[in-house]
Amino acid sequence: MSDRKAVSRGRAVAFFGSVSRNLLDAGARAGVHHHVALSIVGIDRVGHGYYQGKLRQEEVVRGGRVPWTVLRSTQFHEFVSQALQQMPGPVAVVPRMNIQPVAAREVARHLVELALAPPRGMAPELAGPRVELLVDLVRRLLHARHERRLVVPVRLPGAVGAAMAGDGQLPAGAGPRGSRTFDEWLAGAVTRGA
């Protein structure tokens, strides 16, 4: 592992560990009876630095004094636009990645339902209605925005790349599924100028 990746992973683990401990401690002092945390599908199968931080968050929540629920969700539809923003210029180098994007609104609604219910530990994973290739979603977003950029799909090296290109970020079992597709989200996002 390169020093840069180790620093990135270390920062993510330290950040999520510290924030989670602070939230749990504050919640315990305030008499909170149910801590709900949002996490990401596949963080235990994809060895990405940020995901290691989210795993640390889950560990801290499980070990805290406040009863808890953790919901792992797939990437939001907005993830595609955020990924594209990380690649300014005429060429977009997009990792080969299978995702099952979900509407942020549907995730928020599900989190509220979980918060109002008794703590349940690990909740079933929440995902969008269908599996998509990230590169296809990037192309559709660019087309909808009338932007002309060269999209170059690349497979990331090693186990991380293999997990992303495979089913590493897809739900591992049955669970709730959102109904709003990426194309439905995209129609509204373009209208709003997102």
Side-chain angles (χ1 to χ4, degrees):
M1 176 185 333
S2 72
D3 290 341
R4 185 174 163 192
K5 285 183 183 177
V7 168
S8 174
R9 179 175 296 191
R11 284 184 182 157
V13 169
F15 172 79
F16 282 109
S18 175
V19 167
S20 298
R21 280 189 298 277
N22 290 340
L23 283 171
L24 286 167
D25 289 346
R29 287 192 304 273
V32 169
H33 299 289
H34 187 187
H35 180 92
V36 178
L38 178 62
S39 193
I40 305 169
V41 168
I43 60 173
D44 51 347
R45 292 173 279 154
V46 179
H48 187 272
Y50 182 82
Y51 287 6
Q52 297 304 304
K54 293 298 283 182
L55 275 172
R56 180 65 183 138
Q57 174 191 23
E58 290 183 7
E59 291 169 6
V60 171
V61 168
R62 282 195 304 269
R65 297 177 291 172
V66 178
W68 56 275
T69 300
V70 171
L71 172 66
R72 287 184 178 178
S73 167
T74 55
Q75 289 80 10
F76 300 164
H77 295 309
E78 290 83 357
F79 173 76
V80 179
S81 179
Q82 293 165 350
L84 197 54
Q85 288 172 358
Q86 299 296 315
M87 299 168 270
V91 177
V93 178
V94 180
R96 291 191 186 273
M97 181 185 299
N98 286 318
I99 63 174
Q100 196 167 338
V102 64
R105 178 182 308 154
E106 292 175 322
V107 176
R109 187 177 311 118
H110 198 68
L111 285 168
V112 169
E113 291 170 3
L114 289 171
L116 295 174
R120 60 186 298 175
M122 294 300 293
E125 296 175 330
L126 174 63
R130 63 180 174 230
V131 176
E132 305 266 11
L133 296 173
L134 179 59
V135 67
D136 291 343
L137 300 182
V138 166
R139 288 183 175 126
R140 289 181 357 228
L141 177 61
L142 288 170
H143 178 75
R145 291 179 175 173
H146 305 288
E147 292 182 32
R148 292 180 54 107
R149 292 177 66 183
L150 177 63
V151 177
V152 179
V154 297
R155 180 166 168 171
L156 297 177
V160 170
M164 287 179 159
D167 62 0
Q169 295 182 280
L170 303 178
R177 298 296 177 257
S179 61
R180 191 167 193 211
T181 67
F182 178 79
D183 291 322
E184 290 169 336
W185 170 84
L186 183 57
V190 170
T191 302
R192 293 187 307 273

PDB file of all heavy atoms in Angstrom, residues 41-42 45-46 98 162-172:
ATOM      1  N   VAL A  41     -23.303   0.118   1.546  1.00  0.00           N
ATOM      2  CA  VAL A  41     -23.286  -1.280   1.121  1.00  0.00           C
ATOM      3  C   VAL A  41     -21.898  -1.621   0.567  1.00  0.00           C
ATOM      4  O   VAL A  41     -21.324  -0.870  -0.213  1.00  0.00           O
ATOM      5  CB  VAL A  41     -24.365  -1.532   0.044  1.00  0.00           C
ATOM      6  CG1 VAL A  41     -24.169  -2.890  -0.618  1.00  0.00           C
ATOM      7  CG2 VAL A  41     -25.762  -1.431   0.641  1.00  0.00           C
ATOM      8  N   GLY A  42     -21.360  -2.733   0.991  1.00  0.00           N
ATOM      9  CA  GLY A  42     -20.116  -3.250   0.439  1.00  0.00           C
ATOM     10  C   GLY A  42     -18.845  -2.807   1.128  1.00  0.00           C
ATOM     11  O   GLY A  42     -17.756  -3.191   0.708  1.00  0.00           O
ATOM     12  N   ARG A  45     -16.461  -5.474   1.820  1.00  0.00           N
ATOM     13  CA  ARG A  45     -15.974  -6.257   0.675  1.00  0.00           C
ATOM     14  C   ARG A  45     -15.065  -5.450  -0.244  1.00  0.00           C
ATOM     15  O   ARG A  45     -14.397  -6.021  -1.100  1.00  0.00           O
ATOM     16  CB  ARG A  45     -17.164  -6.794  -0.131  1.00  0.00           C
ATOM     17  CG  ARG A  45     -17.950  -7.844   0.637  1.00  0.00           C
ATOM     18  CD  ARG A  45     -19.197  -8.240  -0.104  1.00  0.00           C
ATOM     19  NE  ARG A  45     -20.226  -7.225   0.148  1.00  0.00           N
ATOM     20  CZ  ARG A  45     -21.233  -6.953  -0.654  1.00  0.00           C
ATOM     21  NH1 ARG A  45     -21.369  -7.588  -1.789  1.00  0.00           N
ATOM     22  NH2 ARG A  45     -22.112  -6.034  -0.339  1.00  0.00           N
ATOM     23  N   VAL A  46     -15.067  -4.133  -0.112  1.00  0.00           N
ATOM     24  CA  VAL A  46     -14.245  -3.254  -0.953  1.00  0.00           C
ATOM     25  C   VAL A  46     -13.273  -2.532  -0.029  1.00  0.00           C
ATOM     26  O   VAL A  46     -13.686  -1.751   0.819  1.00  0.00           O
ATOM     27  CB  VAL A  46     -15.112  -2.238  -1.730  1.00  0.00           C
ATOM     28  CG1 VAL A  46     -14.232  -1.327  -2.570  1.00  0.00           C
ATOM     29  CG2 VAL A  46     -16.137  -2.957  -2.598  1.00  0.00           C
ATOM     30  N   ASN A  98     -19.995  -1.529 -10.789  1.00  0.00           N
ATOM     31  CA  ASN A  98     -21.413  -1.871 -10.746  1.00  0.00           C
ATOM     32  C   ASN A  98     -22.009  -1.208  -9.515  1.00  0.00           C
ATOM     33  O   ASN A  98     -21.493  -1.388  -8.404  1.00  0.00           O
ATOM     34  CB  ASN A  98     -21.610  -3.384 -10.647  1.00  0.00           C
ATOM     35  CG  ASN A  98     -21.318  -4.086 -11.939  1.00  0.00           C
ATOM     36  OD1 ASN A  98     -21.690  -3.619 -13.004  1.00  0.00           O
ATOM     37  ND2 ASN A  98     -20.637  -5.218 -11.859  1.00  0.00           N
ATOM     38  N   ALA A 162     -11.314  -5.124  -8.556  1.00  0.00           N
ATOM     39  CA  ALA A 162     -12.095  -6.335  -8.830  1.00  0.00           C
ATOM     40  C   ALA A 162     -13.433  -6.298  -8.098  1.00  0.00           C
ATOM     41  O   ALA A 162     -14.470  -6.652  -8.664  1.00  0.00           O
ATOM     42  CB  ALA A 162     -11.307  -7.578  -8.428  1.00  0.00           C
ATOM     43  N   ALA A 163     -13.420  -5.860  -6.846  1.00  0.00           N
ATOM     44  CA  ALA A 163     -14.666  -5.780  -6.072  1.00  0.00           C
ATOM     45  C   ALA A 163     -15.614  -4.747  -6.660  1.00  0.00           C
ATOM     46  O   ALA A 163     -16.820  -4.973  -6.736  1.00  0.00           O
ATOM     47  CB  ALA A 163     -14.354  -5.459  -4.613  1.00  0.00           C
ATOM     48  N   MET A 164     -15.065  -3.596  -7.090  1.00  0.00           N
ATOM     49  CA  MET A 164     -15.912  -2.551  -7.676  1.00  0.00           C
ATOM     50  C   MET A 164     -16.497  -3.000  -9.012  1.00  0.00           C
ATOM     51  O   MET A 164     -17.657  -2.707  -9.312  1.00  0.00           O
ATOM     52  CB  MET A 164     -15.126  -1.264  -7.860  1.00  0.00           C
ATOM     53  CG  MET A 164     -14.829  -0.539  -6.586  1.00  0.00           C
ATOM     54  SD  MET A 164     -13.872   0.962  -6.936  1.00  0.00           S
ATOM     55  CE  MET A 164     -14.220   1.906  -5.455  1.00  0.00           C
ATOM     56  N   ALA A 165     -15.718  -3.668  -9.821  1.00  0.00           N
ATOM     57  CA  ALA A 165     -16.185  -4.124 -11.129  1.00  0.00           C
ATOM     58  C   ALA A 165     -17.145  -5.302 -10.997  1.00  0.00           C
ATOM     59  O   ALA A 165     -17.940  -5.562 -11.905  1.00  0.00           O
ATOM     60  CB  ALA A 165     -15.001  -4.501 -12.015  1.00  0.00           C
ATOM     61  N   GLY A 166     -17.078  -6.003  -9.887  1.00  0.00           N
ATOM     62  CA  GLY A 166     -17.966  -7.138  -9.644  1.00  0.00           C
ATOM     63  C   GLY A 166     -19.178  -6.713  -8.835  1.00  0.00           C
ATOM     64  O   GLY A 166     -19.766  -5.664  -9.061  1.00  0.00           O
ATOM     65  N   ASP A 167     -19.504  -7.528  -7.839  1.00  0.00           N
ATOM     66  CA  ASP A 167     -20.708  -7.240  -7.048  1.00  0.00           C
ATOM     67  C   ASP A 167     -20.375  -6.713  -5.653  1.00  0.00           C
ATOM     68  O   ASP A 167     -21.220  -6.722  -4.766  1.00  0.00           O
ATOM     69  CB  ASP A 167     -21.591  -8.483  -6.948  1.00  0.00           C
ATOM     70  CG  ASP A 167     -20.908  -9.647  -6.253  1.00  0.00           C
ATOM     71  OD1 ASP A 167     -19.729  -9.506  -5.844  1.00  0.00           O
ATOM     72  OD2 ASP A 167     -21.550 -10.697  -6.098  1.00  0.00           O
ATOM     73  N   GLY A 168     -19.154  -6.209  -5.464  1.00  0.00           N
ATOM     74  CA  GLY A 168     -18.718  -5.752  -4.152  1.00  0.00           C
ATOM     75  C   GLY A 168     -19.517  -4.612  -3.562  1.00  0.00           C
ATOM     76  O   GLY A 168     -19.556  -4.453  -2.349  1.00  0.00           O
ATOM     77  N   GLN A 169     -20.166  -3.808  -4.400  1.00  0.00           N
ATOM     78  CA  GLN A 169     -20.941  -2.685  -3.890  1.00  0.00           C
ATOM     79  C   GLN A 169     -22.439  -2.873  -4.090  1.00  0.00           C
ATOM     80  O   GLN A 169     -23.208  -1.920  -3.990  1.00  0.00           O
ATOM     81  CB  GLN A 169     -20.476  -1.393  -4.556  1.00  0.00           C
ATOM     82  CG  GLN A 169     -19.041  -1.070  -4.172  1.00  0.00           C
ATOM     83  CD  GLN A 169     -18.570   0.226  -4.781  1.00  0.00           C
ATOM     84  OE1 GLN A 169     -18.193   0.272  -5.937  1.00  0.00           O
ATOM     85  NE2 GLN A 169     -18.614   1.264  -3.996  1.00  0.00           N
ATOM     86  N   LEU A 170     -22.826  -4.108  -4.342  1.00  0.00           N
ATOM     87  CA  LEU A 170     -24.242  -4.429  -4.502  1.00  0.00           C
ATOM     88  C   LEU A 170     -24.736  -5.125  -3.239  1.00  0.00           C
ATOM     89  O   LEU A 170     -23.949  -5.739  -2.518  1.00  0.00           O
ATOM     90  CB  LEU A 170     -24.433  -5.339  -5.719  1.00  0.00           C
ATOM     91  CG  LEU A 170     -23.917  -4.786  -7.046  1.00  0.00           C
ATOM     92  CD1 LEU A 170     -24.127  -5.809  -8.155  1.00  0.00           C
ATOM     93  CD2 LEU A 170     -24.575  -3.465  -7.388  1.00  0.00           C
ATOM     94  N   PRO A 171     -26.034  -5.043  -2.949  1.00  0.00           N
ATOM     95  CA  PRO A 171     -26.552  -5.699  -1.747  1.00  0.00           C
ATOM     96  C   PRO A 171     -26.253  -7.195  -1.749  1.00  0.00           C
ATOM     97  O   PRO A 171     -26.317  -7.843  -2.794  1.00  0.00           O
ATOM     98  CB  PRO A 171     -28.058  -5.451  -1.808  1.00  0.00           C
ATOM     99  CG  PRO A 171     -28.284  -4.468  -2.881  1.00  0.00           C
ATOM    100  CD  PRO A 171     -27.067  -4.394  -3.732  1.00  0.00           C
ATOM    101  N   ALA A 172     -25.924  -7.705  -0.585  1.00  0.00           N
ATOM    102  CA  ALA A 172     -25.568  -9.121  -0.462  1.00  0.00           C
ATOM    103  C   ALA A 172     -26.791 -10.006  -0.243  1.00  0.00           C
ATOM    104  O   ALA A 172     -26.689 -11.224  -0.338  1.00  0.00           O
ATOM    105  CB  ALA A 172     -24.576  -9.310   0.682  1.00  0.00           C
TER     106      ALA A 172
END
